[in-house]
Amino acid sequence: MHNKYYCNINIYFFELIIYLLVLTANKLRMNINFSTATFKDFENIPGYDMMDRADIYYDFIEYMKTNGHRYRLQNNTGCSSVMNIGDEEEATKEMVSFVTSDYLGLTQHPKVKQAAIKGIEKFGAGSAATPLIGGYYSYHNELETKIAEFFGRTGDEAVTFTTGYTANSATLQILLQKEDIAILDMAVHASVYEGCILTNRKTFPHNDLAALEHILKTSEDKYRTKLVVIDGVYSQDGDTAPIEEIYKLVKKYNAYLMIDDVHGVGILGKTGRGTIEDTGLLDKIDIITGTFSKTFGNLGGYVIANKNLINFIRFQSRQQIFSATIAPGTAAGIIRAIDLIDEEPHLRFKLWENINYLKKGLDELGLDTGTTCSAVVPVKIGDPHLTLDIGKMLLDRGVYTNPIMYPAVARKNGRIRMSVTATHEIQHLDKTLNAFEDINKKLHIAKK
């Protein structure tokens, strides 16, 4: 009995050792060190087919879990400043949350919820078709009219997509071909990069006007269409683009300008129309894109431009032709949320009170919040794995944030990214500041 028991244990340990040796050999053969690896290292491993890459990546994720770094944490409550986090692998826990971009708290606004319910009651749960073959409803027309009017685009039109990501990628893919060029601020969203796979592409260092002008000048007579693409507010640093200066350069060299202002709309601008509003250029930017999943608290994306360009996108974009349209409840909720930007400006004022309070506290601790001037507040750390460690330490202290590392940012520019909302209370912000203060005492992450 005892001999059989010990024999089974020996077999188990022998198998475990073999597994670890194979795993180590695989890692060495790939020249990937799990302790310093990032997601990017597994995208395309020479000599490894898709199953091999999936197997190795699974091992990497399991390795990260053993070190306390977990991804895709499960939320058990709706978007809010406080959320219940956890699943069968980890006990549930109530956290102060900075991971959603529900900046004005409209996902939980009773008027938005009621509008969504009425939309479902009137039209049902879904659209059940693509827009060209029966999936275009009166609520889609109302939504497209409403978002174009929100930006004061008299005479222009809008087209909607099921996600903000698709609004960018689908639009760029159909507008720019091999004879054209996209000129991108290097910090634009991944959806923009994906949208440029069919065209020529050049990037310029973030907000570098001299570099942008050089590209415009050298590209002026080489391409059919020259489209400069920037963000209004940049998603990782929370800083803004010098829109007026970029607009002047674009027009000087006979190019077009597209601005994605997903993190600015509802937050910046005198009336919440975003970064473009205060420049006086809302009616002059060639293409404005955005999402309904942040300030508007729902799901979907939009593109606003002159009616001929919008008509072209409607009938040529593959994602328009072959994807079902926004659901009735979603559209009704968005329409109500758009009105609330003007009806309840106190939400924006409360948001800015929270942004200023948190940023002031972080700055007083000596932490590096960069050049943010929006609801996106980063604490820059540098080393990606130290960033992950700090993310775990914050979770242990009841603060749920996003550790951001390469390839979302440069390899040595990891940061803890926080999205501040109007629903955060002072006690939530104080708890967060106390957690950072405690971590700083242990790890000395303040600026030297």
Side-chain angles (χ1 to χ4, degrees), residues 6 12 86 89 122 145 170 223 228 242 257 328 366 377 425 433 435 445:
Y6 284 115
Y12 169 78
E89 293 186 36
K122 183 175 181 179
T145 301
Y223 301 96
V228 175
L257 180 59
V377 179
E425 301 294 341
L433 292 170
I445 58 175

Side-chain angles (χ1 to χ4, degrees), residues 366-403:
L367 301 176
D368 184 2
T369 57
T371 55
T372 182
C373 52
S374 68
V376 177
V377 179
V379 173
K380 296 192 173 186
I381 306 301
D383 179 79
H385 285 261
L386 178 59
T387 302
L388 288 171
D389 289 339
I390 292 169
K392 181 180 182 301
M393 294 172 76
L394 286 167
L395 278 175
D396 292 340
R397 288 159 176 77
V399 180
Y400 187 17
T401 64
N402 282 316

Side-chain angles (χ1 to χ4, degrees), residues 171-223:
T171 295
L172 289 165
Q173 283 180 31
I174 196 60
L175 294 183
L176 301 179
Q177 303 297 321
K178 62 182 180 179
E179 298 88 355
D180 308 312
I181 186 171
I183 304 170
L184 316 178
D185 184 299
M186 65 185 300
V188 293
H189 193 263
S191 58
V192 172
Y193 281 96
E194 182 173 303
C196 297
I197 59 175
L198 300 178
T199 192
N200 301 286
R201 187 189 81 201
K202 290 187 178 180
T203 61
F204 59 95
H206 180 48
N207 281 345
D208 188 328
L209 296 176
L212 170 59
E213 182 166 20
H214 175 73
I215 295 173
L216 284 167
K217 185 182 295 185
T218 56
S219 303
E220 188 171 14
D221 300 319
K222 293 182 180 179
Y223 301 96

Side-chain angles (χ1 to χ4, degrees), residues 173-302:
Q173 283 180 31
I174 196 60
L175 294 183
L176 301 179
Q177 303 297 321
K178 62 182 180 179
E179 298 88 355
D180 308 312
I181 186 171
I183 304 170
L184 316 178
D185 184 299
M186 65 185 300
V188 293
H189 193 263
S191 58
V192 172
Y193 281 96
E194 182 173 303
C196 297
I197 59 175
L198 300 178
T199 192
N200 301 286
R201 187 189 81 201
K202 290 187 178 180
T203 61
F204 59 95
H206 180 48
N207 281 345
D208 188 328
L209 296 176
L212 170 59
E213 182 166 20
H214 175 73
I215 295 173
L216 284 167
K217 185 182 295 185
T218 56
S219 303
E220 188 171 14
D221 300 319
K222 293 182 180 179
Y223 301 96
R224 181 178 58 185
T225 300
K226 299 171 292 296
L227 178 63
V228 175
V229 187
I230 62 173
D231 287 358
V233 172
Y234 286 90
S235 62
Q236 300 306 329
D237 281 330
D239 62 337
T240 58
I243 293 174
E244 290 182 85
E245 293 86 346
I246 289 175
Y247 178 79
K248 290 176 182 177
L249 284 175
V250 165
K251 295 309 167 184
K252 178 180 177 181
Y253 292 99
N254 301 309
Y256 299 98
L257 180 59
M258 171 174 157
I259 300 180
D260 175 0
D261 200 22
V262 297
H263 295 282
V265 173
I267 302 157
L268 297 168
K270 185 178 179 181
T271 65
R273 267 60 179 177
T275 57
I276 312 172
E277 181 178 18
D278 291 334
T279 67
L281 297 173
L282 270 175
D283 62 337
K284 294 180 174 62
I285 303 303
D286 298 297
I287 304 172
I288 296 175
T289 68
T291 185
F292 297 122
S293 66
K294 298 183 179 5
T295 290
F296 299 117
N298 273 277
L299 181 66
Y302 56 86

Side-chain angles (χ1 to χ4, degrees), residues 155-170:
D156 288 346
E157 295 184 4
V159 60
T160 56
F161 290 83
T162 49
T163 69
Y165 189 104
T166 308
N168 278 341
S169 63

